[in-house]
């Protein structure tokens, strides 16, 4: 079968479409045939070497996918052949087929298509832990989310609005502003033409927001801190513009006794009960129409390099899938 292989770290050009062997599932494993694979910025980090590959090179990237179980290893009781499943986490998704631990998979409910599941697991469960566990968003809260037109951003906008929050987002173009406004954002700031710190202060009457969700990194720091009310929380969960330079923790005191955290999805779904709870919450809001998942880009898996180029150029919106 075919897969995308990374033999050396670098730009999108290192993503090569080639033959890849998949054996029979071992104890606790299943083999799945991918129907679709999700595209996420974390894939860029593994490709470039910013994040170390768990098992070194060569690497099959990708942390999100959905498909059908084709073979079951010894000791597996959670799943059977023919089950529709999805996952976020174990690297190796950019492949037509793969082996994966059964405990990392969740069954996809009837009514949710597999391409939709593949596009939303990592992004949707990220939105879940950010909104429900990193900071428990409540009616009356005001939140700021950077990159509001991205895959996580569009889910956060809809979900946070349903939770009763006032939702502020930043984007980089008028087109993305329209998209964010159509997905739950009460106020959308174009950071290319406006000072987002000043606008947040205007919108909140000088009070600031309860929480800033920041996956941008270098370009939004320390401005994100200046958007917070005293004792507010800065959740830095990505660095699409580059890593944040080391800083003196005393800045948190100077700007209002602020809290800061650097969460990752994989910590929040590390146990089976946490994974099931997060996926269940996501499937619930999607099944009830509270959150609508729009796949805005589709690429053949063989053209993953083109997808990475577009992603890094910020030419994509919402969710993107790669089709084996």
């Amino acid at each position: 079968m075919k897969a995308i292989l990374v033999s050396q770290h670098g730009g999108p050009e290192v993503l090569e479409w080639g033959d890849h062997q998949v054996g029979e599932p071992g104890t606790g494993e299943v083999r799945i045939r991918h129907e679709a694979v999700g595209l996420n910025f974390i894939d860029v980090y593994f490709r470039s070497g910013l994040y170390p590959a768990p098992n070194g090179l060569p690497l099959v990237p990708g942390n999100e996918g959905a498909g059908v179980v084709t073979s079951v290893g010894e000791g597996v009781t959670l799943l059977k052949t023919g089950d529709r499943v999805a996952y976020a986490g174990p690297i190796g998704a950019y492949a037509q087929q793969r082996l994966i631990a059964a405990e990392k998979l969740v069954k996809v409910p009837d009514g949710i298509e597999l391409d939709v599941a593949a596009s939303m697991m990592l992004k949707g469960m990220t939105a879940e832990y950010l909104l429900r566990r990193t900071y428990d968003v409540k009616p009356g809260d005001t939140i700021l989310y950077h990159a509001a037109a991205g895959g996580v951003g569009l889910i956060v906008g809809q979900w946070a609005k349903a939770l009763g929050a006032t939702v502020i987002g930043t984007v980089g173009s008028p087109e993305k502003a329209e998209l964010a406004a159509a997905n739950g954002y009460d106020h959308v700031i174009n950071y290319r033409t406006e000072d987002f710190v000043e606008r947040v202060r205007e919108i909140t009457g000088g009070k600031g927001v309860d929480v800033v969700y920041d996956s941008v990194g270098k370009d939004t720091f320390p401005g994100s801190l200046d958007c917070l009310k005293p004792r507010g929380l800065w959740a830095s969960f990505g660095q699409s513009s580059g890593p944040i330079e080391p800083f003196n923790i005393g800045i948190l005191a100077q700007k209002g006794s602020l809290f800061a955290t650097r969460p990752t999805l994989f910590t929040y779904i590390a146990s089976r009960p946490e994974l099931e709870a997060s996926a269940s919450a996501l499937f619930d809001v999607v099944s009830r129409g509270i959150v609508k998942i729009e796949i805005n880009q589709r690429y053949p898996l063989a053209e993953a390099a083109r997808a990475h180029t577009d992603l890094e150029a910020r030419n994509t919106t919402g969710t993107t899938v790669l089709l084996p």
Side-chain angles (χ1 to χ4, degrees):
M1 66 101 199
K2 298 285 190 180
I4 291 289
L5 301 170
V6 175
S7 297
Q8 61 180 2
H9 295 304
E13 70 279 358
V14 305
L15 297 170
E16 299 180 349
W17 182 242
D19 293 329
H20 185 62
Q21 295 295 322
V22 175
E24 291 302 314
T27 301
E29 291 184 327
V30 301
R31 187 174 65 214
I32 62 173
R33 181 187 70 249
H34 279 131
E35 295 293 324
V37 172
L39 177 72
N40 297 281
F41 222 97
I42 192 173
D43 304 346
V44 173
Y45 300 157
F46 280 111
R47 186 206 73 213
S48 68
L50 180 64
Y51 288 2
N55 299 308
L57 298 178
L59 163 73
V60 177
N63 285 269
E64 178 182 49
V68 178
V69 175
T70 60
S71 183
V72 175
E74 184 178 350
V76 174
T77 58
L78 293 169
L79 300 167
K80 64 182 186 303
T81 300
D83 280 345
R84 302 165 69 248
V85 293
Y87 65 91
I91 199 165
Y94 284 21
Q96 292 175 328
Q97 299 181 50
R98 72 169 298 179
L99 300 178
I100 188 170
E103 66 177 11
K104 298 298 183 183
L105 296 167
V106 293
K107 292 182 183 179
V108 178
D110 294 339
I112 296 180
E113 298 297 326
L114 286 177
D115 58 348
V116 173
S119 75
M120 76 178 189
M121 297 305 296
L122 193 148
K123 290 172 279 289
M125 290 194 295
T126 295
E128 184 277 327
Y129 87 74
L130 289 172
L131 294 173
R132 290 160 49 98
R133 291 185 282 162
T134 298
Y135 179 90
D136 185 13
V137 174
K138 303 173 293 300
D141 285 342
T142 302
I143 76 170
L144 172 64
Y145 187 93
H146 291 303
V152 179
L154 296 182
I155 296 173
V156 164
Q158 298 174 71
W159 204 334
K161 189 63 179 174
L163 292 172
T166 297
V167 193
I168 306 171
T170 66
V171 297
S173 72
E175 295 76 18
K176 289 184 177 181
E178 290 184 12
L179 184 60
N183 283 272
Y185 287 86
D186 299 289
H187 307 276
V188 185
I189 303 165
N190 185 337
Y191 62 81
R192 297 189 188 277
T193 59
E194 301 177 282
D195 183 317
F196 73 83
V197 176
E198 290 185 4
R199 283 290 293 124
V200 167
R201 288 292 170 183
E202 290 174 10
I203 292 166
T204 62
K207 294 179 180 179
V209 301
D210 295 280
V211 57
V212 176
Y213 297 115
D214 187 351
S215 65
V216 175
K218 183 178 179 181
D219 289 354
T220 48
F221 183 84
S224 289
L225 303 183
D226 294 321
C227 295
L228 287 164
K229 63 175 56 173
R231 302 193 303 278
L233 172 66
W234 173 53
S236 171
F237 67 102
Q239 48 196 39
S240 61
S241 68
I244 295 169
E245 295 296 324
F247 63 91
N248 186 334
I249 196 172
I251 193 175
L252 301 177
Q254 296 165 14
K255 293 183 179 293
S257 299
L258 304 178
F259 294 86
T261 183
R262 180 55 173 91
T264 69
L265 170 63
F266 307 125
T267 306
Y268 279 82
I269 59 171
S271 71
R272 182 71 192 178
E274 288 173 322
L275 170 61
E276 290 180 343
S278 185
S280 177
L282 173 62
F283 289 147
D284 176 63
V285 294
V286 171
S287 296
R288 291 193 288 136
I290 292 172
V291 171
K292 295 179 174 61
I293 306 294
E294 299 290 343
I295 300 174
N296 292 340
Q297 296 83 211
R298 299 172 188 266
Y299 300 82
L301 179 57
E303 297 180 18
R306 181 165 65 91
H308 274 228
T309 298
D310 290 346
L311 178 66
E312 291 181 88
R314 303 189 184 185
N315 291 330
T316 63
T317 59
T319 61
T320 302
V321 292
L322 307 174
L323 302 174

